[in-house]
């Protein structure tokens, strides 16, 4: 639960657990739930997991009466993204230059990957996509494009991308981790073949995620063992977390942009030179990546932290060290601007009072240097 005196603006990193999710998980706290066991508890675990699986698919608009899409449960979206990439290593893979590291880092290890350009709003260049598809054996190609960027919130035109990708007989994966509660993630509307999502980004627990896939596709496992998840992901399922994932999916509701818009209005009143990245593109309603002139991101971050406001540069690596955002750099933003930028990501608990406090601290940090 969030402390009222602390202002959390890092929902894109992880969202607080929903009360209903916590209750559902705690109700099972002392139950041994291994779905591979044949006895009563095993059967109960299996039932709970299948219910959650159905709720997650329904959140993505899948008609569960048909078997068009299935989902494999994983420990994280990082694992789901690795699973899909690992399936196409013998083929061509096209990714955009604004992917999460769980996709983009693969370019350091494999030479079958091409990188798609983005414009200065971070939107993929569709002509470049056509060019790349025309120039290779696209029948065996995977295109992987993020649905909404975790740093800027910019939404990609996935439906248009899918039309192009399918025209060339290629397959489309979308890392849609920042989608649920923020934008339409209807997999049939978007017409993607594979989609990654992660429970902790929308009120579910850490440690539960999924790769959704068209059942007509033929995937192979990355983790080998007891054959759980139709043989696609061995290892005993994390039943408690999966139950929480299912409850979060049932509660998924798209938030509005009121708090983000108010914040952007207020900081513009303080400083006319502020830059809001991706402002002219379609963005998810909770995210604002902002340049504050002349104040390095880590200084801003520390000053906000001292004032009990928790933000992020959007590109912290696992050691917690801040690095310049590769996403902004690939949008053609100069280093000196990138190095003074901070991501604010709001959530359903963010209030008008929070925005007033954040804006006045923003003003304080800005005016100390000007
Ligand atoms: N993809 C995107 C767009 C993300 O924002 C994140 C998390 O920050 C991930 C993938 C990785 O998700 P997970 O924390 O479940 O590994």
């Amino acid at each position: 639960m969030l402390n009222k005196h602390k202002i959390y603006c890092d929902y894109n990193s992880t969202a607080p657990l929903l009360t209903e999710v916590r209750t559902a998980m705690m109700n099972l706290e002392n139950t041994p739930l291994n779905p591979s066991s044949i006895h009563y508890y095993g059967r109960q675990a299996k039932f709970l997991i299948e219910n959650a699986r159905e709720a997650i698919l329904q959140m993505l608009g899948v008609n569960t009466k048909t078997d068009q899409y299935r989902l494999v449960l994983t420990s994280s979206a990082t694992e789901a993204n690795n699973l899909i990439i690992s399936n196409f290593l013998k083929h061509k893979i096209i990714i955009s230059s604004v992917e999460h590291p769980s996709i983009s880092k693969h370019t350091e290890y494999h030479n079958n990957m091409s990188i798609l350009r983005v414009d200065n709003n971070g939107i993929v260049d569709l002509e470049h996509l056509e060019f790349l598809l025309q120039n290779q054996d696209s029948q065996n190609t995977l295109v992987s494009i993020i649905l909404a960027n975790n740093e800027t919130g910019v939404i990609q035109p996935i439906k248009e991308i899918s039309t192009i990708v399918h025209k060339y007989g290629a397959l489309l994966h979308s890392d849609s981790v920042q989608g649920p509660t923020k934008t339409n993630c209807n997999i049939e509307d978007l017409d993607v073949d594979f989609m990654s999502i992660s429970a902790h980004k929308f009120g579910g627990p850490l440690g539960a995620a999924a790769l959704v896939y068209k059942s007509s596709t033929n995937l192979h496992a990355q983790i080998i063992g007891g054959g759980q998840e139709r043989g696609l992901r061995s290892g005993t399922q994390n039943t408690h977390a999966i139950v929480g994932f299912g409850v979060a999916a049932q509660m998924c509701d798209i938030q509005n942009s009121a708090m983000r818009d108010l914040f952007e209005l207020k900081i513009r009143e303080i400083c006319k030179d502020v830059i809001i990245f991706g402002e002219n593109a379609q963005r998810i309603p909770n995210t604002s990546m902002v340049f504050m002139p002349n104040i390095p991101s880590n200084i801003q971050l520390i000053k906000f932290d001292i004032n009990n406001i928790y933000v992020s540069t959007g590109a912290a690596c696992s050691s917690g060290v801040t690095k310049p955002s590769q996403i902004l750099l690939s949008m053609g933003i100069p280093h000196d601007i990138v190095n003074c930028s901070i991501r604010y990501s709001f959530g359903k608990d963010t209030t008008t009072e929070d925005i007033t406090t954040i804006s006045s601290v923003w003003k304080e940090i800005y005016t100390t240097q000007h």
Side-chain angles (χ1 to χ4, degrees):
M1 195 163 303
L2 288 176
N3 182 320
K4 283 209 176 67
H5 305 294
K6 299 185 189 303
I7 303 180
Y8 187 70
C9 306
D10 203 14
Y11 278 75
N12 287 7
S13 158
T14 195
L17 207 62
L18 294 168
T19 309
E20 294 79 356
V21 170
R22 185 178 326 103
T23 307
M25 288 171 66
M26 283 179 61
N27 285 344
L28 298 170
E29 199 180 15
N30 293 318
T31 320
L33 290 171
N34 184 339
S36 301
S37 304
I38 291 164
H39 53 64
Y40 166 79
Y41 284 119
R43 292 195 304 277
Q44 192 187 353
K46 201 164 193 279
F47 173 78
L48 290 166
I49 288 179
E50 292 318 312
N51 272 353
R53 198 187 304 275
E54 188 166 343
I56 300 160
L57 283 168
Q58 281 170 351
M59 171 184 77
L60 302 175
V62 174
N63 176 356
T64 48
K65 302 250 177 331
T66 70
D67 189 30
Q68 212 199 337
Y69 285 96
R70 294 182 188 154
L71 77 79
V72 48
L73 292 157
T74 60
S75 64
S76 62
T78 296
E79 186 195 325
N81 285 347
N82 273 263
L83 174 57
I84 193 63
I85 294 292
S86 72
N87 267 270
F88 286 84
L89 291 180
K90 295 202 177 93
H91 306 293
K92 294 280 181 210
I93 302 176
I94 300 173
I95 67 167
S96 81
S97 60
V98 290
E99 298 300 312
H100 184 269
S102 53
I103 295 285
S104 63
K105 276 263 174 189
H106 290 271
T107 56
E108 293 174 21
Y109 298 90
H110 310 295
N111 57 12
N112 63 332
M113 299 178 75
S114 320
I115 301 178
L116 200 50
R117 283 194 299 261
V118 298
D119 67 12
N120 57 7
N121 279 310
I123 298 283
V124 296
D125 179 337
L126 299 184
E127 281 177 18
H128 191 207
L129 174 61
E130 289 234 35
F131 170 81
L132 291 175
L133 286 167
Q134 271 160 6
N135 284 287
Q136 58 193 35
D137 173 15
S138 49
Q139 287 296 330
N140 295 320
T141 295
L142 176 75
V143 178
S144 180
I145 307 290
I146 195 165
L147 172 62
N149 190 268
N150 44 305
E151 297 189 17
T152 60
V154 167
I155 300 174
Q156 299 294 344
I158 294 291
K159 177 72 192 176
E160 266 180 84
I161 292 169
S162 116
T163 307
I164 297 171
V165 168
H166 291 145
K167 184 170 89 184
Y168 289 93
L171 293 168
L172 179 61
H173 166 249
S174 180
D175 172 349
S176 301
V177 165
Q178 296 296 341
T181 70
K182 299 168 193 162
T183 187
N184 173 24
C185 298
N186 186 305
I187 197 164
E188 289 183 18
D189 284 358
L190 297 172
D191 195 19
V192 304
D193 303 288
F194 311 103
M195 182 182 262
S196 306
I197 51 166
S198 185
H200 76 99
K201 303 290 181 177
F202 58 99
L206 293 151
L211 178 72
V212 184
Y213 60 98
K214 263 198 186 134
S215 30
S216 54
T217 54
N218 199 8
L219 294 180
H220 58 78
Q222 167 178 242
I223 300 178
I224 313 288
Q228 289 91 343
E229 297 296 303
R230 293 176 181 259
L232 264 180
R233 199 275 185 181
S234 287
T236 305
Q237 290 94 331
N238 184 352
T239 309
H240 296 81
I242 293 164
V243 167
F245 190 1
V247 175
Q250 279 167 338
M251 305 206 47
C252 179
D253 221 355
I254 301 214
Q255 62 189 90
N256 66 44
S257 63
M259 293 303 117
R260 197 269 315 269
D261 295 346
L262 181 64
F263 169 67
E264 292 183 356
L265 189 80
K266 281 182 179 284
I267 57 170
R268 271 208 193 293
E269 281 169 8
I270 301 165
C271 166
K272 64 173 180 20
D273 295 327
V274 71
I275 299 173
I276 297 165
F277 300 102
E279 194 180 15
N280 300 319
Q282 209 193 336
R283 283 182 295 157
I284 46 175
N286 76 320
T287 307
S288 200
M289 181 75 151
V290 179
F291 161 67
M292 185 193 280
N294 301 328
I295 322 269
S297 321
N298 53 349
I299 303 288
Q300 294 185 51
L301 216 130
I302 291 164
K303 293 203 170 171
F304 276 119
D305 195 60
I306 291 166
N307 285 281
N308 295 328
I309 295 169
Y310 308 118
V311 292
S312 135
T313 57
C317 69
S318 54
S319 60
V321 175
T322 59
K323 293 190 293 182
S325 160
Q326 286 309 311
I327 305 295
L328 296 184
L329 291 174
S330 79
M331 287 160 59
I333 314 293
H335 262 94
D336 53 335
I337 294 189
V338 171
N339 290 338
C340 295
S341 301
I342 286 282
R343 175 188 72 189
Y344 306 80
S345 54
F346 306 110
K348 67 174 193 50
D349 297 314
T350 310
T351 62
T352 311
E353 292 71 40
D354 292 341
I355 299 295
T356 306
T357 310
I358 301 162
S359 314
S360 64
V361 172
W362 200 98
K363 186 174 183 179
E364 212 176 287
I365 300 171
Y366 176 67
T367 47
T368 52
Q369 300 291 320
H370 292 86

